[in-house]
Every structure is written in structure tokens, then in C-alpha cells.
Amino acid sequence: LLIDHRGVVLTLNQDGSELLGIAPIDEPVDVDHCLDSHPELLAMLRGAVGDGVGLPRQEIRIQTAGQDRTLGFTVHVLKRDDGTVRGHLALFADLTESHREAEARQLANSLEQLGELAAGVAHELRNSLATLRGYLTLIERHPDEESITDYLAEIRRETDHLRRVVEDFLSFAQPESARVETVDLLLIARRAAADPALMGAPVVVEAESERSWQLPGDAQLLERALRNLMHNAVRAEQDAGTTAPVRVRLAERGDQVELSIDDRGPGIPDTVRDRLFQPFVTGRSDGVGLGLSLAHRIVTLHGGRLHLDDRSTGGTRASILFPVGNFV
């Protein structure tokens, strides 16, 4: 689409005519009249012509012949030898099909991830239900044996595992239902360290200064993320036979605040190193594999970043980083 410095359309080629759904230009016509059926596009072009400037790559949705199209376009300034503006050249490309293909790929990826999640949940439920059925069968066959107490304890353990699977899955699926208020990250870390699920394992929480550690967030979600990370750290130390405490530290690192959780366990298994935050990926035979992915999602929801690294002295460090500007 060729426009002179006055805003008069001089040329519209056949491709442009078909993309915009307007009649070919036989003689010069004012751009307002030419593009009156596409007011948003007209406003952009009028602004470029009026200011004598170009437009970088833009995308716009228009409707032609009752169909929605996505167009990509740029506007280039045409100048004379003395530098004055002679006119503008608008170049269009039809991105409709490529956008549809991108949306289809995104939907396919979403369905694939949903399938993986469903398969992971089904696997956990099937295994636990099979275990429960086995113990119930043993109780039916030997109802008077003293071992029934042990069977009931195992049944209770499996039901706790099932409850954890369901709770983690629901939290992973809908963490956006956050109730945001001003919360104290240090206090949340201390509450998480006192979680009974840690079975009294020592967890030391400290801060490098007396500064405020308050930021906007959902206290329950943040505590759940920290509990999951601390639980992993405690289990790692138990696997390594270590009795040293897990250390949690809040510190300011330049323009970021870091909450680090250090353990002295065996480190990150190579088999899962590249998939740590994917759902149902775990390095333990009895793990659910949602703890890290849920923690990662909660931290991201709060504008932070979570990463795990091997410590030079052995073990793993889980680091949560928030911008200093998030704190009040």
C-alpha cells in the first residue's frame, strides 16, 4: 500500500487488495476512504503518515468476507534526497494460518501435558489401591492374627500417601486461586520448619539482618512451597545417613533476596537433573513427583525464581530468588 505525504493512497496491489478485502485502487484515493472498513488499521496508518514516521512490525486482527484474519505489517518512510518525507510504504503479510498452526501446537502440547498428569495420578492411585487391597485381603484371611495391627498401620500410611497425591495435584492444578496480602517470608519459613511432617528433623532458619522480609503473597501457598522443599532436604539427609540440620537462610544478594535451603544429602540424581520441575518426576521410589513442580509454580506465581544446584561441600541447595523491589 503506497501512500503519499498527504495521506493519499497511490497504489494497492492485487495481494494487498485481497488481504484487506477492498477493491483495487484505480486512481488516487484518500486513505480514510480506502480503509474505512478497518478503523484500527486506519488509525495506525494515519498516525504514521501524520507524524512522518514508520512503524515496526505490528500485528492486527481484521475481518474480511466474514472471516477473521491476522495481518503482520510494517510501514516504511520514503524520503527524497534532501531528507523530506515523500510518502509511506505499508507492507502486509497474512499470518492467519501460521497463528492457527501455533495455536494448534499449543493445544497439542497442553493436551500432552494433561495426559502426562493424568497418567501420573492414575499410576499413583493404582499402586496405592493395589496395596490397600492386598492388606485388606490379608486381614480377611487372618482376622485374628496380631499382625493385623501392622496391616492397619500400612493401610493408614497408604491412605496418607493417597491424600498427599490428591492435595498436591489439586494445588498444582489451581495455584492461581491465591489470596494476596502482606506476608513475612521469615515467619513463613519458620512455620514451615515446624511442620510435623518433618518428624522432628532439625531445620535451622536464620536471616542475615533485621531488615523487613515482608512481601505481597499468599502465606499458605508460600508455606506449602517451602514445606515441600524442606521435606525434600530432610529426606535427602536421611537417605545419606546425615544428622546435621537442614539450613535455611534469608539474605540480600544485590538486587535480589535469596531464600536458600541447604542439605547434606547425596545431591541431585543425574536421571532427573534436566526434568526437576516436571510433574511426576522424582528420584525416589516412594516419591509422588509433584513437590518440586508445585513449589516452582508457586514461586513463579509470586514473581520469583526457583533453582536447585549441587553444593561444593556436598548436598543440594534450593534457592528461591525474589526481586528486592517486591519487599515492603
Side-chain angles (χ1 to χ4, degrees):
L1 182 69
L2 184 62
I3 310 172
D4 71 11
H5 67 283
R6 300 167 300 169
V8 174
V9 177
L10 303 177
T11 303
L12 175 64
N13 68 4
Q14 185 65 33
D15 288 340
S17 174
E18 292 175 359
L19 285 178
L20 297 175
I22 59 181
I25 302 300
D26 297 325
E27 57 185 24
V29 60
D30 189 85
V31 69
D32 289 12
H33 178 70
C34 179
L35 296 177
D36 59 355
S37 59
H38 303 304
E40 187 176 349
L41 177 59
L42 174 60
M44 290 184 175
L45 289 176
R46 286 179 63 185
V49 172
D51 296 338
V53 297
L55 282 178
R57 173 65 175 270
Q58 305 283 324
E59 288 189 10
I60 189 170
R61 295 181 70 89
I62 65 171
Q63 192 172 66
T64 58
Q67 294 184 340
D68 286 333
R69 285 181 181 270
T70 301
L71 298 184
F73 73 95
T74 57
V75 179
H76 302 275
V77 181
L78 305 178
K79 295 184 178 181
R80 300 183 178 89
D81 292 340
D82 61 2
T84 59
V85 175
R86 185 176 185 179
H88 292 76
L89 177 65
L91 303 178
F92 298 87
D94 189 356
L95 304 179
T96 306
E97 193 59 34
S98 62
H99 273 227
R100 286 175 181 166
E101 292 174 357
E103 290 171 358
R105 287 194 299 270
Q106 183 177 4
L107 176 60
N109 290 336
S110 298
L111 291 175
E112 182 179 354
Q113 292 174 2
L114 179 61
E116 291 176 355
L117 284 173
V121 171
H123 175 75
E124 293 293 333
L125 295 179
R126 183 176 60 243
N127 287 349
S128 288
L129 289 173
T131 301
L132 291 173
R133 186 179 181 84
Y135 282 118
L136 289 173
T137 300
L138 289 173
I139 291 174
E140 288 175 351
R141 292 178 179 176
H142 310 285
D144 299 324
E145 290 188 6
E146 295 182 0
S147 57
I148 192 172
T149 301
D150 296 332
Y151 297 155
L152 291 174
E154 291 298 325
I155 289 174
R156 185 175 295 108
R157 188 185 69 81
E158 283 299 327
T159 55
D160 288 342
H161 178 75
L162 282 173
R163 182 182 62 188
R164 181 180 161 208
V165 170
V166 173
E167 288 179 351
D168 279 357
F169 179 74
L170 291 176
S171 297
F172 179 82
Q174 294 181 318
E176 288 85 357
S177 56
R179 294 180 294 274
V180 178
E181 56 186 348
T182 300
V183 299
D184 189 316
L185 192 57
L186 179 59
L187 179 61
I188 290 173
R190 286 172 174 163
R191 278 207 307 262
D195 183 5
L198 297 178
M199 304 297 291
V203 178
V204 176
V205 180
E206 56 189 5
E208 70 167 8
S209 69
E210 298 299 321
R211 60 152 291 168
S212 170
W213 302 106
Q214 293 185 333
L215 77 164
D218 184 306
Q220 290 186 348
L221 286 180
L222 286 170
E223 184 176 341
R224 187 172 185 82
L226 295 185
R227 284 206 316 265
N228 287 347
L229 294 172
M230 291 181 192
H231 185 271
N232 284 351
V234 167
R235 286 294 305 275
E237 293 210 341
Q238 291 173 346
D239 291 346
T242 302
T243 58
V246 170
R247 295 201 170 272
V248 181
R249 182 174 177 80
L250 267 168
E252 191 169 331
R253 309 291 188 206
D255 60 352
Q256 295 180 316
V257 167
E258 179 187 40
L259 187 150
S260 59
I261 301 174
D262 291 351
D263 68 59
R264 294 167 178 78
I268 303 170
D270 291 335
T271 54
V272 299
R273 187 179 298 274
D274 296 331
R275 301 177 295 131
L276 283 173
F277 302 125
Q278 293 181 17
F280 298 105
V281 171
T282 177
R284 297 193 182 93
S285 59
D286 60 345
V288 176
L290 275 175
L292 276 180
S293 55
L294 176 58
H296 182 268
R297 192 165 184 184
I298 291 172
V299 170
T300 302
L301 180 66
H302 285 78
R305 294 184 295 114
L306 169 64
H307 56 86
L308 271 66
D309 299 292
D310 292 319
R311 299 174 63 234
S312 58
T313 55
T316 303
R317 167 169 291 179
S319 296
I320 298 176
L321 297 168
F322 293 108
V324 168
N326 285 20
F327 289 79
V328 296

Short mmCIF file of all heavy atoms in Angstrom, two decimals, residues 16-23 34-42 59-71 92 94 96 100:
data_model
loop_
_atom_site.label_atom_id
_atom_site.label_comp_id
_atom_site.label_asym_id
_atom_site.label_seq_id
_atom_site.Cartn_x
_atom_site.Cartn_y
_atom_site.Cartn_z
N GLY A 16 -2.50 -7.08 -1.79
CA GLY A 16 -2.99 -6.21 -0.72
C GLY A 16 -4.49 -6.05 -0.77
O GLY A 16 -5.17 -6.04 0.27
N SER A 17 -5.03 -5.93 -1.97
CA SER A 17 -6.48 -5.80 -2.14
C SER A 17 -7.20 -7.03 -1.60
O SER A 17 -8.22 -6.93 -0.90
CB SER A 17 -6.81 -5.60 -3.62
OG SER A 17 -8.20 -5.59 -3.83
N GLU A 18 -6.67 -8.23 -1.90
CA GLU A 18 -7.30 -9.45 -1.43
C GLU A 18 -7.17 -9.61 0.08
O GLU A 18 -8.12 -10.04 0.75
CB GLU A 18 -6.66 -10.64 -2.14
CG GLU A 18 -6.97 -10.70 -3.63
CD GLU A 18 -6.23 -11.82 -4.33
OE1 GLU A 18 -5.46 -12.54 -3.64
OE2 GLU A 18 -6.41 -11.98 -5.55
N LEU A 19 -6.01 -9.29 0.65
CA LEU A 19 -5.82 -9.42 2.09
C LEU A 19 -6.74 -8.49 2.87
O LEU A 19 -7.30 -8.87 3.91
CB LEU A 19 -4.37 -9.13 2.48
CG LEU A 19 -3.33 -10.20 2.16
CD1 LEU A 19 -1.95 -9.72 2.57
CD2 LEU A 19 -3.66 -11.50 2.87
N LEU A 20 -6.90 -7.26 2.39
CA LEU A 20 -7.71 -6.28 3.09
C LEU A 20 -9.19 -6.38 2.73
O LEU A 20 -10.03 -5.76 3.39
CB LEU A 20 -7.20 -4.87 2.80
CG LEU A 20 -5.77 -4.56 3.26
CD1 LEU A 20 -5.34 -3.18 2.80
CD2 LEU A 20 -5.67 -4.67 4.78
N GLY A 21 -9.50 -7.12 1.68
CA GLY A 21 -10.88 -7.28 1.30
C GLY A 21 -11.51 -6.01 0.76
O GLY A 21 -12.69 -5.74 1.00
N ILE A 22 -10.71 -5.21 0.05
CA ILE A 22 -11.23 -3.97 -0.53
C ILE A 22 -10.94 -3.97 -2.03
O ILE A 22 -10.09 -4.73 -2.52
CB ILE A 22 -10.62 -2.72 0.13
CG1 ILE A 22 -9.09 -2.71 -0.01
CG2 ILE A 22 -11.00 -2.66 1.60
CD1 ILE A 22 -8.43 -1.51 0.64
N ALA A 23 -11.65 -3.12 -2.76
CA ALA A 23 -11.49 -3.08 -4.21
C ALA A 23 -10.11 -2.55 -4.60
O ALA A 23 -9.53 -1.73 -3.87
CB ALA A 23 -12.58 -2.20 -4.82
N CYS A 34 -10.31 4.74 1.69
CA CYS A 34 -9.82 3.43 1.27
C CYS A 34 -9.96 2.40 2.39
O CYS A 34 -10.33 1.25 2.14
CB CYS A 34 -8.37 3.55 0.82
SG CYS A 34 -7.61 2.00 0.30
N LEU A 35 -9.66 2.82 3.62
CA LEU A 35 -9.61 1.86 4.74
C LEU A 35 -10.70 2.11 5.78
O LEU A 35 -10.53 1.77 6.95
CB LEU A 35 -8.23 1.92 5.41
CG LEU A 35 -7.03 1.52 4.55
CD1 LEU A 35 -5.73 1.71 5.33
CD2 LEU A 35 -7.16 0.06 4.10
N ASP A 36 -11.82 2.69 5.35
CA ASP A 36 -12.87 2.97 6.34
C ASP A 36 -13.47 1.71 6.95
O ASP A 36 -14.08 1.74 8.02
CB ASP A 36 -13.98 3.83 5.71
CG ASP A 36 -14.62 3.15 4.50
OD1 ASP A 36 -14.14 2.07 4.10
OD2 ASP A 36 -15.59 3.71 3.96
N SER A 37 -13.28 0.56 6.30
CA SER A 37 -13.80 -0.71 6.85
C SER A 37 -12.85 -1.32 7.88
O SER A 37 -13.21 -2.31 8.53
CB SER A 37 -14.04 -1.71 5.72
OG SER A 37 -12.85 -1.98 5.00
N HIS A 38 -11.67 -0.75 8.05
CA HIS A 38 -10.70 -1.25 9.03
C HIS A 38 -10.21 -0.08 9.89
O HIS A 38 -9.09 0.40 9.74
CB HIS A 38 -9.51 -1.91 8.33
CG HIS A 38 -9.89 -3.02 7.40
ND1 HIS A 38 -10.61 -4.12 7.82
CD2 HIS A 38 -9.67 -3.19 6.07
CE1 HIS A 38 -10.80 -4.93 6.80
NE2 HIS A 38 -10.24 -4.39 5.71
N PRO A 39 -11.05 0.39 10.83
CA PRO A 39 -10.72 1.61 11.58
C PRO A 39 -9.44 1.52 12.41
O PRO A 39 -8.71 2.50 12.53
CB PRO A 39 -11.95 1.81 12.47
CG PRO A 39 -12.66 0.49 12.50
CD PRO A 39 -12.38 -0.16 11.19
N GLU A 40 -9.15 0.35 12.96
CA GLU A 40 -7.94 0.23 13.80
C GLU A 40 -6.69 0.35 12.93
O GLU A 40 -5.73 1.04 13.30
CB GLU A 40 -7.95 -1.10 14.54
CG GLU A 40 -6.81 -1.24 15.55
CD GLU A 40 -6.88 -2.52 16.35
OE1 GLU A 40 -7.91 -3.22 16.28
OE2 GLU A 40 -5.89 -2.82 17.04
N LEU A 41 -6.70 -0.32 11.80
CA LEU A 41 -5.58 -0.22 10.87
C LEU A 41 -5.45 1.19 10.35
O LEU A 41 -4.34 1.74 10.23
CB LEU A 41 -5.79 -1.20 9.72
CG LEU A 41 -4.76 -1.19 8.60
CD1 LEU A 41 -3.37 -1.50 9.14
CD2 LEU A 41 -5.14 -2.19 7.51
N LEU A 42 -6.58 1.83 10.03
CA LEU A 42 -6.57 3.20 9.53
C LEU A 42 -5.94 4.14 10.55
O LEU A 42 -5.13 5.01 10.19
CB LEU A 42 -8.00 3.63 9.21
CG LEU A 42 -8.20 5.10 8.81
CD1 LEU A 42 -7.39 5.44 7.56
CD2 LEU A 42 -9.68 5.40 8.60
N GLU A 59 1.08 -6.47 14.52
CA GLU A 59 0.09 -7.48 14.18
C GLU A 59 -1.28 -6.91 14.49
O GLU A 59 -1.47 -6.22 15.50
CB GLU A 59 0.32 -8.77 14.96
CG GLU A 59 1.54 -9.54 14.50
CD GLU A 59 1.63 -10.92 15.13
OE1 GLU A 59 0.64 -11.35 15.79
OE2 GLU A 59 2.67 -11.58 14.97
N ILE A 60 -2.23 -7.21 13.64
CA ILE A 60 -3.57 -6.68 13.82
C ILE A 60 -4.57 -7.70 13.30
O ILE A 60 -4.31 -8.42 12.32
CB ILE A 60 -3.73 -5.34 13.07
CG1 ILE A 60 -5.06 -4.67 13.44
CG2 ILE A 60 -3.62 -5.52 11.57
CD1 ILE A 60 -5.19 -3.26 12.93
N ARG A 61 -5.71 -7.80 13.97
CA ARG A 61 -6.79 -8.70 13.54
C ARG A 61 -7.84 -7.88 12.80
O ARG A 61 -8.30 -6.85 13.30
CB ARG A 61 -7.41 -9.42 14.73
CG ARG A 61 -6.45 -10.37 15.42
CD ARG A 61 -7.14 -11.07 16.58
NE ARG A 61 -8.14 -12.02 16.11
CZ ARG A 61 -7.90 -13.29 15.82
NH1 ARG A 61 -6.66 -13.76 15.95
NH2 ARG A 61 -8.84 -14.10 15.42
N ILE A 62 -8.18 -8.32 11.61
CA ILE A 62 -9.21 -7.65 10.82
C ILE A 62 -10.22 -8.69 10.37
O ILE A 62 -9.99 -9.91 10.49
CB ILE A 62 -8.62 -6.94 9.58
CG1 ILE A 62 -8.03 -7.95 8.60
CG2 ILE A 62 -7.58 -5.90 9.99
CD1 ILE A 62 -7.63 -7.35 7.27
N GLN A 63 -11.34 -8.22 9.86
CA GLN A 63 -12.36 -9.13 9.35
C GLN A 63 -12.63 -8.79 7.89
O GLN A 63 -12.94 -7.64 7.55
CB GLN A 63 -13.65 -9.02 10.16
CG GLN A 63 -14.64 -10.14 9.86
CD GLN A 63 -15.83 -10.13 10.80
OE1 GLN A 63 -16.61 -9.20 10.78
NE2 GLN A 63 -15.95 -11.16 11.63
N THR A 64 -12.49 -9.79 7.04
CA THR A 64 -12.78 -9.62 5.62
C THR A 64 -13.63 -10.79 5.16
O THR A 64 -13.34 -11.95 5.50
CB THR A 64 -11.49 -9.59 4.78
OG1 THR A 64 -10.75 -10.80 4.97
CG2 THR A 64 -10.61 -8.42 5.18
N ALA A 65 -14.68 -10.48 4.43
CA ALA A 65 -15.60 -11.50 3.91
C ALA A 65 -16.10 -12.40 5.02
O ALA A 65 -16.25 -13.61 4.85
CB ALA A 65 -14.90 -12.33 2.83
N GLY A 66 -16.35 -11.80 6.20
CA GLY A 66 -16.91 -12.55 7.31
C GLY A 66 -15.91 -13.45 8.02
O GLY A 66 -16.29 -14.23 8.88
N GLN A 67 -14.63 -13.34 7.70
CA GLN A 67 -13.62 -14.17 8.33
C GLN A 67 -12.59 -13.31 9.05
O GLN A 67 -12.24 -12.22 8.57
CB GLN A 67 -12.89 -15.03 7.29
CG GLN A 67 -13.77 -16.08 6.62
CD GLN A 67 -12.98 -16.96 5.66
OE1 GLN A 67 -11.89 -16.58 5.23
NE2 GLN A 67 -13.51 -18.13 5.35
N ASP A 68 -12.12 -13.82 10.19
CA ASP A 68 -11.07 -13.12 10.93
C ASP A 68 -9.71 -13.44 10.32
O ASP A 68 -9.41 -14.61 10.02
CB ASP A 68 -11.08 -13.54 12.40
CG ASP A 68 -12.25 -12.95 13.17
OD1 ASP A 68 -12.72 -11.88 12.76
OD2 ASP A 68 -12.69 -13.57 14.15
N ARG A 69 -8.92 -12.41 10.13
CA ARG A 69 -7.56 -12.59 9.64
C ARG A 69 -6.60 -11.90 10.59
O ARG A 69 -6.93 -10.87 11.19
CB ARG A 69 -7.39 -11.98 8.24
CG ARG A 69 -7.98 -12.77 7.10
CD ARG A 69 -7.71 -12.05 5.79
NE ARG A 69 -8.26 -12.74 4.64
CZ ARG A 69 -7.61 -13.67 3.93
NH1 ARG A 69 -6.38 -13.99 4.29
NH2 ARG A 69 -8.17 -14.25 2.89
N THR A 70 -5.41 -12.46 10.71
CA THR A 70 -4.33 -11.82 11.45
C THR A 70 -3.29 -11.36 10.45
O THR A 70 -2.74 -12.17 9.70
CB THR A 70 -3.69 -12.78 12.46
OG1 THR A 70 -4.68 -13.23 13.38
CG2 THR A 70 -2.58 -12.07 13.24
N LEU A 71 -3.05 -10.05 10.41
CA LEU A 71 -2.08 -9.49 9.47
C LEU A 71 -0.86 -8.99 10.23
O LEU A 71 -0.98 -8.39 11.30
CB LEU A 71 -2.69 -8.33 8.68
CG LEU A 71 -3.88 -8.62 7.77
CD1 LEU A 71 -4.25 -7.36 7.01
CD2 LEU A 71 -3.58 -9.76 6.81
N PHE A 92 2.19 -5.80 3.91
CA PHE A 92 1.32 -6.69 4.68
C PHE A 92 1.69 -8.15 4.43
O PHE A 92 2.12 -8.52 3.35
CB PHE A 92 -0.15 -6.49 4.25
CG PHE A 92 -0.67 -5.11 4.51
CD1 PHE A 92 -0.51 -4.10 3.58
CD2 PHE A 92 -1.32 -4.82 5.70
CE1 PHE A 92 -0.99 -2.83 3.82
CE2 PHE A 92 -1.80 -3.56 5.94
CZ PHE A 92 -1.64 -2.55 5.01
N ASP A 94 -0.08 -12.14 5.51
CA ASP A 94 -1.18 -12.87 6.15
C ASP A 94 -0.59 -13.90 7.11
O ASP A 94 0.05 -14.86 6.69
CB ASP A 94 -2.03 -13.56 5.08
CG ASP A 94 -3.31 -14.15 5.67
OD1 ASP A 94 -3.48 -14.09 6.90
OD2 ASP A 94 -4.13 -14.67 4.89
N THR A 96 -2.54 -15.49 9.38
CA THR A 96 -3.68 -16.24 9.94
C THR A 96 -3.35 -17.72 10.09
O THR A 96 -3.55 -18.30 11.17
CB THR A 96 -4.91 -16.08 9.03
OG1 THR A 96 -5.16 -14.69 8.83
CG2 THR A 96 -6.13 -16.72 9.67
N ARG A 100 -2.87 -20.04 13.47
CA ARG A 100 -3.69 -21.22 13.74
C ARG A 100 -2.82 -22.44 14.03
O ARG A 100 -3.12 -23.24 14.92
CB ARG A 100 -4.59 -21.49 12.54
CG ARG A 100 -5.75 -20.52 12.40
CD ARG A 100 -6.54 -20.77 11.14
NE ARG A 100 -7.64 -19.80 10.99
CZ ARG A 100 -8.31 -19.61 9.88
NH1 ARG A 100 -8.01 -20.32 8.79
NH2 ARG A 100 -9.29 -18.72 9.83
#
